């Protein structure tokens, strides 16, 4: 679980370093200029920390307790880059409004299909890596306090499954098989269809930038235009964390989130020795 959290949080902080005007950011990525430390993490990691707290204390995910954890961390530091809808939801949860009232009320009663549930979930896939049904159930439960829309929950399930499969494959990584397993276990909807398209693009050998234009790379900040691209990048570089991060960030878009997703998954394949020590040191210390 710590491995997934480290991979996620390094990716989150790394990707966050590359926001800015594209005419400056793109050359830095192309030339692989490693950002100067420290690298600050965002809400992706902050919310993942609540999930890890829950798993460490109880070995399961209870959405009521998790929602309270999200609310406490939000109240302590609301300036971690939360999106507008997340601010609305977490502010009310922190004030004591039940999440079952808050989460379904956004977006005209549809609930959020955003990428926030997916960005924080890799530690669940790690914790339940040898029990996919439990990983899927826990991923869904972790999404519910903020993402009432089924496709927002599907994104969390997809990433948890990817992290679990990456661990299962750690001795013989197989990106195509990983994507196939993720598609199989992700509920039907836009995210699953995007994942199936990602698998096709992988088989075709399409470039990262071209794939980003087709799949989306998080500009819409929803699960279906974030998770397929991030997992495509992860699947291409399961044996090389650094290459996975440079590939993912080159898609631009919601780059802290795509890198957090890919980072949490790839970490499970490369193991602790595969995470660059200098990057881990550059990421600000995690605040448990």
């Amino acid at each position: 679980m710590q491995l997934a959290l480290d991979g996620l949080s390094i990716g989150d902080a790394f990707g966050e370093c590359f926001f800015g005007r594209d005419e400056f950011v793109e050359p830095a990525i192309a030339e692989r200029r490693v950002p100067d430390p420290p690298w600050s993490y965002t809400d992706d990691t902050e919310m993942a920390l609540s999930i890890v707290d829950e798993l460490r204390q109880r070995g399961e995910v209870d959405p009521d307790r998790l929602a309270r954890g999200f609310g406490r961390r939000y109240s302590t530091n609301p300036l971690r880059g939360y999106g507008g809808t997340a601010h609305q939801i977490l502010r009310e949860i922190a004030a004591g409004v039940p999440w079952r009232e808050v989460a379904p009320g956004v977006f005209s009663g549809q609930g959020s299909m955003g990428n926030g549930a997916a960005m924080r979930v890799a530690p669940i896939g790690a914790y339940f890596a040898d029990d996919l049904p439990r990983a899927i159930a826990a991923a869904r439960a972790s999404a519910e306090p903020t993402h009432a829309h089924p496709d927002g929950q599907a994104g969390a399930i997809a990433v948890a499954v990817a992290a679990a499969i990456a661990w299962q494959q750690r001795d013989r990584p197989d990106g195509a098989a990983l994507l196939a397993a993720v598609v199989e276990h992700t509920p039907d909807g836009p995210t699953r269809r995007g994942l199936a398209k990602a698998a096709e693009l992988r088989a075709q050998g399409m470039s990262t930038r071209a794939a980003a234009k087709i799949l989306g790379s998080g500009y819409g900040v929803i699960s279906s235009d974030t998770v397929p691209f991030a997992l495509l990048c992860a699947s291409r570089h399961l044996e090389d964390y650094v290459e996975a991060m440079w590939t993912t960030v080159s898609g631009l878009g919601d780059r802290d989130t795509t890198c957090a997703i890919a980072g949490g998954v790839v970490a499970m394949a490369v193991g602790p020795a595969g995470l660059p020590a200098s990057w881990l040191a550059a990421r600000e210390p995690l605040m448990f």
Side-chain angles (χ1 to χ4, degrees):
M1 182 170 62
Q2 183 64 46
L3 176 59
L5 179 62
D6 283 340
L8 181 161
S9 58
I10 295 170
D12 171 26
F14 172 79
E16 178 68 8
C17 293
F18 290 96
F19 278 99
R21 293 173 62 180
D22 285 352
E23 60 263 38
F24 300 119
V25 168
E26 291 190 75
I29 294 171
E31 295 168 15
R32 301 203 168 189
R33 299 179 209 156
V34 177
D36 293 331
W39 303 351
S40 298
Y41 61 78
T42 77
D43 56 322
D44 303 45
T45 300
E46 189 75 3
M47 300 191 86
L49 287 166
S50 291
I51 290 174
V52 170
D53 285 340
E54 181 74 5
L55 291 172
R56 283 180 172 171
Q57 292 176 30
R58 298 180 177 86
E60 61 181 3
V61 176
D62 178 279
D64 295 318
R65 290 193 299 257
L66 183 60
R68 291 193 290 271
F70 287 156
R72 283 192 298 271
R73 283 189 172 273
Y74 175 79
S75 295
T76 299
N77 187 356
L79 303 178
R80 281 285 184 189
Y82 294 93
T85 302
H87 278 294
Q88 176 186 341
I89 291 173
L90 295 173
R91 190 180 299 118
E92 293 191 45
I93 288 174
V97 181
W99 67 264
R100 288 178 174 81
E101 297 178 17
V102 178
V106 299
F107 296 105
S108 303
Q110 296 182 75
S112 174
M113 64 175 71
N115 58 24
M119 72 191 185
R120 65 197 188 212
V121 79
I124 289 177
Y127 193 84
F128 297 110
D130 296 320
D131 190 340
L132 279 184
R134 288 192 72 187
I136 289 167
R140 190 188 302 277
S142 77
E144 288 175 338
T146 52
H147 291 71
H149 194 285
D151 208 56
Q153 296 173 15
I157 291 168
V159 176
V161 168
I165 297 295
W167 175 253
Q168 293 174 15
Q169 292 184 349
R170 62 193 181 279
D171 295 326
R172 297 184 66 182
D174 184 336
L178 182 144
L179 277 182
V182 171
V183 172
E184 177 186 353
H185 291 286
T186 301
D188 193 27
T191 295
R192 180 174 179 169
R193 292 193 289 273
L195 288 163
K197 186 64 177 178
E200 291 179 15
L201 299 182
R202 187 184 193 282
Q204 295 168 11
M206 182 169 288
S207 72
T208 300
R209 295 300 294 273
K213 290 180 180 179
I214 293 171
L215 298 172
S217 58
Y219 281 110
V221 201
I222 59 174
S223 173
S224 60
D225 92 323
T226 305
V227 173
F229 173 75
L231 293 186
L232 170 63
C233 293
S235 78
R236 284 178 161 167
H237 300 291
L238 288 172
E239 298 179 87
D240 190 333
Y241 183 89
V242 170
E243 191 66 28
M245 291 300 93
W246 285 116
T247 297
T248 306
V249 79
S250 73
L252 305 178
D254 193 4
R255 54 214 78 170
D256 61 315
T257 296
T258 55
C259 286
I261 291 170
V265 171
V266 175
M268 297 306 295
V270 300
L275 300 180
S278 60
W279 289 24
L280 184 60
R283 184 214 62 201
E284 70 170 298
L286 301 179
M287 300 297 291
F288 283 100

